[in-house]
Amino acid sequence: MTVSPPEPNSTHGVPDRLIKHAVRYADHQLVNRNDLTPMMRHYADVKDQYPHAILLYRVGDFYETFFQDAIVISRELEIVLTSKDGGKDVGRVPLSGIPHHALDRYSAQLVEKGYAIAVCDQVEDPAEAQGLVRREITRVITPGTILEEGMLNARRNNFLVAVVIAGTHWGLAYADISTGEFLTTQSSGLDALNHEITRLQPAEILCPTNAPDLGRLLRPGETSKQLPDCLPTQFCYTLRSQSPFSQVEARQRLLQRFRVRSLEGMGCEHLPLAVRAAGGLLEYLESTSERTVLDRKKHITPQQVPLQPVCTYTLTEYLTLDNQTRRNLEITQTVRDGTFHGSLLWALDETITPMGSRALRRWLLQPLLNISEIQARQETIKELVENGILRDDLQRLLRQIYDLERLAGRAGSGTASPRDLVSLADSVSRLPDLSRLVATARSPYLKALQNVPPVLEHLGTRLHAHLVERPPLAIKDGGLIRPDIVPQLDAMRQQATADEKWLADLEVLERDRTGLSTLKVGYSKTFGYFISISRSKADQVPPEYERKQTLTNEERFITAELKERESRILNARKELGAMEYEVFVSLRTEVGEQAELIRSVAHAVAAADALAGLAKVAVYQGYCCPDMVAGRDIAIGEGRHPVVEQSLPAGFFVPNSTQLGKSDHDIAPSHPDLIVLTGPNASGKSCYLRQIGLIQLMAQMGSFVPAEHARLGICDRIFTRVGAVDDLATGQSTFMVEMNETANILNHATARSLVLLDEIGRGTATFDGLSIAWAVAEHLASEVRARTVFATHYHELNELASLLPNVENFQVTVKEMPDQIIFLHKVQPGGADRSYGIEAGRLAGLPPSVIDRARQVMHQIEKHSKIAIGLGKGKPSDPTTPQPDSDLTTQLDIFR
Ligand SMILES: Nc1ncnc2c1ncn2[C@@H]1O[C@H](COP(=O)(O)OP(=O)(O)OP(=O)(O)O)[C@@H](O)[C@H]1O
């Protein structure tokens, strides 16, 4: 591993600020191992085993890093970079360290930046070590394998994903080890894979490759030839070897882990790619995160990550939302600045617990297709809307329930602290109250809370009986377990108390006995307990006092009895701490064994929390329960945009109705499949368009919707094409992005889809754009028959309504005043013939001279230019081919 060292004066990647420390080596691989100090040599050997992780190496009260890792962490964490002696012939090497108690905080920062961390702990007491203290890796933390509470975002899942791609087919498995979820799927189409990954927003993705640098973590945005092109680059990737992802190995691993003979019960026996992804993911967890726990004798015991048996899902179980649609509908973040504030989730999240909030986020990103599942959620919301007292009481109780999902996960993985167990006991002991509260409830999600498993009640009582109300943070120093629970502990405590009392009384007794009124009993780290006498009286001490230390003003003595008591007290404290820790660990194991059950209760609580939150929003925002039907109708009475409405003063939002897709022409009136929506700039077209998509999405996730009434058929997909964004990263122009998105819609939309198009064809020449817009609208209306709203400034598209029976025109109205226009935001039948773009420009502050000139130019254009299809009342012979006015050559003249 060692290579020739650099020339003595070479700087070899050493940062300038270390050159003055005479540091020559910035890379541990450049140093001859035999020249290193024993500790440094061990560090370098361990580092070789974890080349792609930052190695945090415990030295006393610090986790230290050396060589290249020291340079990285000092840069990333903005902490001091200094140096330490690496050996006689090596000189000083870079050093950067963090205090041991700040491990979580700094690890969180490093992981957030996409680094993996290997934690190397001291696994023997330095005081008892013969030579170098024994150290071992106790934890490898990667972005997708975090369990530590302080490093996780409470309100969202932390997913680890594994993908296996075979041609255009793929398997994807994902797990959140903090909550135990473990799912897998198989499908085809690389776009669909990209959309599924983006939906999950994984913290880390595992990708099997034949790469030479296996184990490498690619940070977000970093590319590698080993990574298939179809994968989105904004996530962290870990390159893994192929073999655990092979069918045989992966299947075997799953069978062993979940102790089953076949994967049939998990639904993936016949989905080889799903099995391969799941098995590969499991192998990664087993090799990196099956953490080790140090017991009181510093023995390392492996601890399994508590995962639920893998569950197979299909993409077609849910309403399909592609990346653009999730982005354009601003479901979890806004388009403009990527913030949570202003998103749909922001408007709807009135949950109390982090579990409820995570459930709501999941539901919003995976709306349902099954009407009865939707109705089960609706019924629960309805009951909570109608019974305000029940809703308030439920939310009040939920406030006392902690994150049971993650608490169970930490208990199962051996990382829960005593405080975690107390929080868990507090939460579990609230479950019977919850069950009593919903005893007479009728709706499915509330009924699910009626039965509390007796074993959990018993567990809560046991934890409360054993653990003190507020255990200390340091878990090995005792003070965790209540008295009168473990007789052996009580006996030890009594002895320790007696000894401590003896010590407390000693000062008074000895003062009396010796007549030395300045005598004191003290404690120092070096000598332990001592008796201190002022130097002037030191010659008056009794003969059994043994002089130990002389200070300027005092002499310190010990006695045989004092030393004996001292060693009893110190031993007792140590023993007590260790025994309490043992009792705590066995309690934690008991909880871990119930992790599965706790999680199933947690799911029920999370769902009830999400629904109570939705009920609250429904009440305060005046939402209605949509009638979900099997047909294709989208009938919304006086609908509103759930987010814009909340951002405007009460009563300012103008509601608008929508009727789409009622194709049964025998029952009049029928409703169009496609609406051409025109209207001036800034009149509210985009808002109206999105409002329809959001109402449909909310309805399919089971929520009430912002409308007076709604009757909605189930959609298989919602597509949106909104605005124009350059995708410079992939080298695509604005227009090409627009065309790609449009192609995706035309190739995948069905009669059951909802398509929302906000301007098509704006990024090219007017005639090209109009021609494309026309052809797209025509195809959607007559071939696909998808329910579509097409917002446009090409007023010529209004002609389509006179050509196709299932197309209608609507416009967002304004009121024209002599010197201004007033936005009414009202959608009405008919097509607009003007865009008032110049007026919008004036309102935006374009200079008056530019506005005047624009008016002049427009006047000229209107006089000279007409597009054939927009001209007439009659139908053109071939409407798909827009014909410019024969006089079009005069266009050039009009700018004169
Ligand atoms: N129904 C409504 N009630 C009240 N305010 C509304 C309504 N619809 C839209 N608005 C307000 O009008 C603003 C402009 O709306 P929107 O962006 O939808 O216009 P637009 O017609 O799509 O404009 P453009 O054609 O320039 O893209 C919104 O930011 C919103 O504040």
Side-chain angles (χ1 to χ4, degrees):
M1 185 56 72
T2 51
V3 294
S4 350
E7 296 300 310
N9 292 329
S10 145
T11 55
H12 248 88
V14 177
D16 289 348
R17 56 199 157 132
L18 279 186
I19 291 175
K20 64 176 186 300
H21 289 237
V23 167
R24 280 186 293 148
Y25 295 98
D27 184 340
H28 77 286
Q29 293 192 8
L30 296 176
V31 187
N32 188 333
R33 284 297 144 93
N34 296 329
D35 292 343
L36 286 168
T37 60
M39 190 192 84
M40 252 345 147
R41 195 176 316 136
H42 181 247
Y43 173 89
D45 290 347
V46 179
K47 178 72 196 167
D48 281 347
Q49 294 165 37
Y50 295 89
H52 301 304
I54 295 208
L55 177 58
L56 296 178
Y57 191 83
R58 183 74 181 256
V59 182
D61 285 342
F62 279 80
Y63 283 102
E64 297 192 339
T65 54
F66 305 106
F67 298 102
Q68 59 273 48
D69 284 357
I71 296 167
V72 170
I73 77 158
S74 104
R75 182 185 66 228
E76 297 289 1
L77 302 175
E78 297 181 19
I79 56 176
V80 178
L81 177 61
T82 172
S83 65
K84 182 169 188 155
D85 182 32
K88 195 156 59 66
D89 294 325
V90 178
R92 301 192 73 79
V93 301
L95 155 74
S96 215
I98 55 171
H100 74 99
H101 55 78
L103 177 67
D104 275 8
R105 183 158 56 88
Y106 284 121
S107 301
Q109 285 184 38
L110 288 170
V111 167
E112 172 90 40
K113 288 168 186 264
Y115 291 97
I117 296 165
V119 182
C120 188
D121 269 307
Q122 294 178 172
V123 293
E124 69 176 336
D125 195 337
E128 290 161 16
Q130 311 261 322
L132 193 62
V133 181
R134 196 157 65 89
R135 293 179 175 88
E136 295 193 14
I137 294 287
T138 50
R139 176 97 169 94
V140 178
I141 310 171
T142 67
T145 59
I146 305 171
L147 271 166
E148 290 74 1
E149 187 190 9
M151 294 172 65
L152 287 166
N153 182 334
R155 299 206 154 238
R156 52 191 301 175
N157 278 103
N158 194 63
F159 287 129
L160 171 69
V161 162
V163 286
V164 172
I165 302 171
T168 57
H169 294 266
W170 50 269
L172 177 148
Y174 68 89
D176 180 341
I177 65 166
S178 67
T179 62
E181 283 145 271
F182 184 19
L183 292 100
T184 192
T185 191
Q186 175 171 328
S187 187
S188 61
L190 299 180
D191 278 351
L193 171 62
N194 189 310
H195 295 316
E196 187 57 1
I197 291 177
T198 314
R199 173 183 76 82
L200 292 166
Q201 293 286 307
E204 182 181 354
I205 303 171
L206 310 175
C207 191
T209 67
N210 293 318
D213 49 359
L214 285 179
R216 176 150 174 237
L217 192 73
L218 298 173
R219 297 171 52 220
E222 238 183 291
T223 50
S224 158
K225 285 198 192 80
Q226 309 300 332
L227 215 55
D229 287 342
C230 59
L231 296 175
T233 54
Q234 69 268 35
F235 303 108
C236 254
Y237 285 88
T238 295
L239 305 179
R240 302 291 294 166
S241 112
Q242 297 273 9
S243 77
F245 287 86
S246 70
Q247 168 73 4
V248 176
E249 212 180 298
R251 183 170 179 278
Q252 197 51 36
R253 192 175 301 280
L254 292 169
L255 293 178
Q256 261 172 14
R257 170 74 176 217
F258 299 113
R259 301 206 184 93
V260 285
R261 293 229 178 134
S262 143
L263 299 177
E264 206 73 62
M266 299 176 188
C268 54
E269 184 66 88
H270 304 294
L271 299 174
L273 296 175
V275 169
R276 288 173 57 193
L281 186 146
L282 191 55
E283 186 273 340
Y284 181 68
L285 284 181
E286 287 177 352
S287 63
T288 58
S289 306
E290 303 277 72
R291 50 182 303 136
T292 50
V293 174
L294 302 183
D295 66 15
R296 59 189 288 221
K297 298 200 175 74
K298 302 253 174 192
H299 287 149
I300 299 178
T301 353
Q303 192 98 27
Q304 276 202 339
V305 170
L307 278 187
Q308 287 160 7
V310 67
C311 176
T312 308
Y313 71 105
T314 58
L315 298 187
T316 47
E317 277 167 58
Y318 302 102
L319 167 66
T320 306
L321 299 167
D322 56 27
N323 292 346
Q324 294 89 268
T325 303
R326 272 195 298 269
R327 193 187 59 217
N328 293 335
L329 292 182
E330 308 191 300
I331 299 177
T332 55
Q333 59 183 56
T334 59
V335 172
R336 182 182 283 267
D337 41 19
T339 53
F340 170 70
H341 184 100
S343 66
L344 178 63
L345 184 56
W346 164 79
L348 298 185
D349 192 351
E350 285 290 340
T351 57
I352 304 293
T353 68
M355 308 176 274
S357 184
R358 289 196 298 270
L360 183 67
R361 173 184 282 267
R362 248 189 337 260
W363 291 359
L364 274 178
L365 292 170
Q366 278 190 322
L368 302 167
L369 294 178
N370 183 311
I371 294 189
S372 51
E373 284 177 34
I374 295 172
Q375 283 167 343
R377 291 185 188 169
Q378 286 183 342
E379 268 176 56
T380 310
I381 297 178
K382 196 154 178 250
E383 183 164 7
L384 291 166
V385 164
E386 285 165 2
N387 190 343
I389 296 177
L390 175 63
R391 187 181 68 244
D392 290 347
D393 287 348
L394 176 60
Q395 291 207 316
R396 217 179 350 267
L397 267 180
L398 287 170
R399 261 177 240 292
Q400 301 168 45
I401 296 185
Y402 295 92
D403 195 339
L404 280 172
E405 262 182 331
R406 284 188 168 159
L407 287 170
R410 288 205 289 280
S413 61
T415 55
S417 67
R419 288 193 182 177
D420 281 342
L421 293 200
V422 172
S423 301
L424 194 128
D426 290 349
S427 310
V428 166
S429 65
R430 296 268 75 92
L431 296 177
D433 299 340
L434 208 54
S435 143
R436 274 190 291 279
L437 180 69
V438 296
T440 55
R442 303 174 314 271
S443 54
Y445 283 88
L446 296 183
K447 277 182 163 173
L449 300 176
Q450 283 169 352
N451 294 323
V452 181
V455 56
L456 288 192
E457 274 193 70
H458 176 66
L459 187 68
T461 316
R462 246 177 92 65
L463 291 175
H464 273 145
H466 277 74
L467 293 166
V468 297
E469 216 166 289
R470 266 196 78 70
L473 279 175
I475 61 176
K476 296 200 177 158
D477 298 345
L480 312 175
I481 309 294
R482 288 181 191 270
D484 304 329
I485 294 291
V486 185
Q488 223 184 328
L489 265 181
D490 291 337
M492 281 170 78
R493 279 196 191 121
Q494 267 167 17
Q495 179 60 52
T497 316
D499 285 331
E500 271 159 5
K501 169 128 186 19
W502 178 86
L503 204 66
D505 295 344
L506 183 65
E507 197 170 278
V508 180
L509 284 174
E510 286 298 286
R511 274 188 194 168
D512 281 355
R513 189 168 76 87
T514 59
L516 298 167
S517 59
T518 54
L519 180 149
K520 278 189 200 130
V521 174
Y523 180 82
S524 94
K525 252 190 164 172
T526 342
F527 298 115
Y529 289 98
F530 57 81
I531 297 170
S532 138
I533 315 275
S534 62
R535 287 194 67 183
S536 55
K537 304 271 173 68
D539 53 349
Q540 298 172 28
V541 299
E544 69 273 17
Y545 275 29
E546 187 187 325
R547 193 183 306 265
K548 200 72 195 166
Q549 196 185 18
T550 305
L551 302 179
T552 325
N553 297 321
E554 61 176 290
E555 294 277 4
R556 290 177 173 180
F557 300 88
I558 54 168
T559 67
E561 193 182 7
L562 182 61
K563 282 293 118 181
E564 190 200 319
R565 295 276 185 166
E566 175 190 293
S567 85
R568 267 183 16 201
I569 290 170
L570 294 182
N571 278 341
R573 275 193 202 143
K574 213 166 151 188
E575 274 294 301
L576 259 175
M579 195 184 280
E580 288 204 28
Y581 181 66
E582 222 157 72
V583 175
F584 159 70
V585 169
S586 83
L587 284 173
R588 184 165 67 185
T589 311
E590 264 178 64
V591 177
E593 282 160 6
Q594 301 303 333
E596 189 88 25
L597 187 60
I598 298 173
R599 277 181 175 149
S600 69
V601 171
H603 280 166
V605 174
D609 185 13
L611 293 166
L614 289 173
K616 185 172 173 188
V617 178
V619 170
Y620 287 96
Q621 300 295 331
Y623 290 0
C624 74
C625 179
D627 186 11
M628 303 308 289
V629 294
R632 293 174 63 251
D633 306 26
I634 293 184
I636 302 168
E638 301 290 289
R640 285 117 51 200
H641 189 298
V643 181
V644 176
E645 178 186 36
Q646 284 195 31
S647 326
L648 292 176
F652 268 60
F653 192 90
V654 181
N656 281 301
S657 300
T658 309
Q659 306 275 14
L660 272 171
K662 191 170 172 186
S663 50
D664 188 349
H665 293 283
D666 295 340
I667 309 168
S670 74
H671 300 136
D673 287 322
L674 187 141
I675 288 175
V676 175
L677 182 68
T678 46
N681 289 103
S683 58
K685 297 184 295 300
S686 310
C687 185
Y688 177 67
L689 203 81
R690 286 189 167 103
Q691 139 187 339
I692 300 168
L694 291 173
I695 287 176
Q696 183 70 34
L697 184 149
M698 286 168 66
Q700 286 194 227
M701 61 88 83
S703 169
F704 281 21
V705 296
E708 297 257 292
H709 53 88
R711 180 179 155 81
L712 301 168
I714 297 290
C715 287
D716 60 354
R717 300 178 71 140
I718 300 179
F719 291 98
T720 57
R721 222 320 300 148
V722 171
V725 188
D726 271 326
D727 193 351
L728 295 177
T730 58
Q732 296 198 71
S733 75
T734 311
F735 183 65
M736 283 314 290
V737 171
E738 182 181 327
M739 287 301 103
N740 284 339
E741 291 182 6
T742 310
N744 173 46
I745 297 173
L746 297 186
N747 292 332
H748 294 101
T750 71
R752 297 243 152 227
S753 307
L754 172 62
V755 178
L756 304 168
L757 300 171
D758 195 356
E759 298 293 356
I760 294 271
R762 260 209 305 205
T764 185
T766 311
F767 293 146
D768 296 21
L770 170 56
S771 312
I772 291 173
W774 180 284
V776 166
E778 202 176 47
H779 182 81
L780 281 167
S782 51
E783 302 291 324
V784 182
R785 299 183 69 85
R787 278 82 43 92
T788 306
V789 183
F790 197 128
T792 183
H793 287 287
Y794 293 132
H795 302 126
E796 292 77 5
L797 289 191
N798 285 326
E799 290 292 325
L800 264 177
S802 55
L803 299 167
L804 298 172
N806 61 342
V807 176
E808 277 180 22
N809 295 327
F810 282 82
Q811 59 176 318
V812 193
T813 49
V814 289
K815 192 168 173 190
E816 240 183 299
M817 304 293 276
D819 55 353
Q820 61 167 334
I821 50 172
I822 297 173
F823 294 103
L824 301 176
H825 304 303
K826 199 71 199 162
V827 177
Q828 287 186 344
D833 54 1
R834 287 191 59 190
S835 277
Y836 301 90
I838 298 177
E839 189 58 24
R842 189 185 66 78
L843 290 175
L846 290 185
S849 59
V850 173
I851 295 291
D852 288 346
R853 178 65 181 139
R855 285 201 176 111
Q856 258 176 19
V857 173
M858 187 163 87
H859 182 67
Q860 293 295 322
I861 293 175
E862 282 176 348
K863 247 177 38 194
H864 294 272
S865 170
K866 282 276 187 314
I867 296 173
I869 56 167
L871 272 177
K873 310 281 168 266
K875 294 176 184 179
S877 51
D878 179 7
T880 58
T881 320
Q883 295 296 322
D885 194 325
S886 58
D887 202 11
L888 202 66
T889 44
T890 56
Q891 267 200 86
L892 290 177
D893 301 338
I894 62 180
F895 295 104
R896 274 197 247 121

